Amino acid sequence: FSKLNLQAKDGRTFHVLEISDSEYKAKLYLWNPTCDFGQGDFIKFIAEVVSGQASFFSCQIKDIVKVDYEVLPEGCPTRKVQFRYTTDVEALSKDIREFTEAYVSDEAFKSLIYYISEVSFLKNIETAPAGKSAHHSLVGGLLKHISEMFDIYSNIASSEVCKDLRHEFVIIGVILHDYYKFREYDMVDGEFKMTKQGILLGHIYQGAQFLQKIFDVVTSKKPELTFSTLDKQKAIHTLLAHHGQMDWGSPVVPAIPEAIVLHYIDQISAKLNMFSTSNNMEFNKFLGTSPIK
């Protein structure tokens, strides 16, 4: 504990517990504790996270007691509070490249995918969330979301229903559809906040504009490679349409199969994350229901 027996303006007492691993730190605010502590005490508690994200969590204590470290069994399991996602960027990059080699025949699009799947390119978004509060809203959430979407797609790409898809459009969409979340959100006092750039431009527009620039980068590096105007428009459309419908903030609705596939694998990853991070029987406004666990 870093602070004990503090009192809020409304009279409630709380402790501040700092936890860390080899990479990151977080603070837990434990409200209404019923047990006194001293320096060096070991404690066991059950608490419900009621708010917070990234490096700050407000918890309601359910049960808290002192424990004698000497009587704890070896290997006693502990429940880790998750405050960041970690993704093996090198493994993800390798998997995307191997998939591209197997499923994409167009050399220009291969070069583009190889460029955006470089480790250094993916590391640009290593600490970004995929959302402020809806899904994957932790440090590293965006890469986790991309990794999940790629895993889903790579498992269905060989099915008969996907045999006629232009896989390059989907893979570009998986990597870039939320890429500009790293400019849309910023960490302020332990919470993700919208930036001015995010409010004014949004990640969808910025991502589409960014893809147009990447087309120019690839052709400038390899002038022998060309993209047809229609193919460039389809790839950009896949990004623009990934929210699926206009009342969800999509500037256009999916007009090609690849765009609808991107939309649904995006939804699968996002919705399953919402279920996994929701409390039992607690209403989740983004799901519109109270998950049962």
Side-chain angles (χ1 to χ4, degrees), residues 61-80:
I61 289 290
K62 302 294 185 181
D63 184 42
I64 185 166
V65 294
K66 289 181 184 179
V67 294
D68 185 349
Y69 181 78
E70 298 301 325
V71 302
L72 291 176
E74 283 192 31
C76 178
T78 59
R79 183 174 178 83
K80 294 183 179 179

Side-chain angles (χ1 to χ4, degrees), residues 173-245:
V174 166
I175 299 172
L176 296 182
H177 78 289
D178 277 351
Y179 192 85
Y180 261 77
K181 293 283 184 74
F182 87 112
R183 296 294 190 200
E184 191 167 47
Y185 304 122
D186 198 9
M187 179 75 78
V188 180
D189 296 328
E191 295 184 64
F192 293 115
K193 303 288 187 180
M194 289 285 289
T195 63
K196 291 180 181 178
Q197 183 174 336
I199 293 170
L200 291 171
L201 301 178
H203 70 280
I204 297 178
Y205 165 78
Q206 292 182 91
Q209 188 181 55
F210 187 48
L211 177 53
Q212 179 61 64
K213 292 179 181 178
I214 293 171
F215 280 123
D216 296 337
V217 169
V218 171
T219 53
S220 67
K221 287 185 174 183
K222 297 184 177 181
E224 71 277 11
L225 299 179
T226 59
F227 302 92
S228 74
T229 299
L230 181 59
D231 277 352
K232 288 195 288 186
Q233 289 174 348
K234 285 184 175 181
I236 293 171
H237 169 81
T238 304
L239 292 187
L240 290 173
H242 80 268
H243 277 195
Q245 53 196 65

Side-chain angles (χ1 to χ4, degrees), residues 29 35 49 51 106 111 123 131 133 140 151 157 198 205 208 218 235 253 255 265:
Y29 286 71
C35 186
V49 176
S51 66
D106 186 292
S111 292
K123 278 185 173 292
S133 55
D151 184 54
Y205 165 78
V218 171
V253 296
I265 61 176

Side-chain angles (χ1 to χ4, degrees), residues 18 24 26 31 35 54-55 64 91 99 125 145 147 150 166 168 180 187 195 228 233 236 256-257 279 282:
E18 291 187 353
Y24 208 66
W31 293 95
C35 186
S55 59
I64 185 166
F99 179 91
I125 57 172
H145 180 46
S147 179
F150 176 71
R166 291 284 297 273
E168 54 266 45
Y180 261 77
M187 179 75 78
T195 63
S228 74
Q233 289 174 348
I236 293 171
I256 58 175
N279 292 320
E282 184 177 289

Side-chain angles (χ1 to χ4, degrees), residues 94-123:
K94 180 174 179 288
D95 289 345
I96 292 172
R97 287 165 175 261
E98 288 180 351
F99 179 91
T100 301
E101 188 63 35
Y103 283 89
V104 177
S105 57
D106 186 292
E107 291 300 323
F109 275 105
K110 275 187 178 180
S111 292
L112 190 152
I113 294 172
Y114 292 156
Y115 176 71
I116 64 174
S117 63
E118 289 178 0
V119 171
S120 58
F121 187 95
L122 295 174
K123 278 185 173 292

Side-chain angles (χ1 to χ4, degrees), residues 2 19 29 41 58 74 115 129 133 142 154 160 190 208 210 228 255 260-261 269 288 291-293:
S2 60
I19 59 175
Y29 286 71
D41 286 341
S58 186
E74 283 192 31
Y115 176 71
S133 55
L142 179 50
S154 63
E160 183 67 16
F210 187 48
S228 74
I260 200 69
V261 168
S269 169
I292 305 295
K293 296 189 175 183

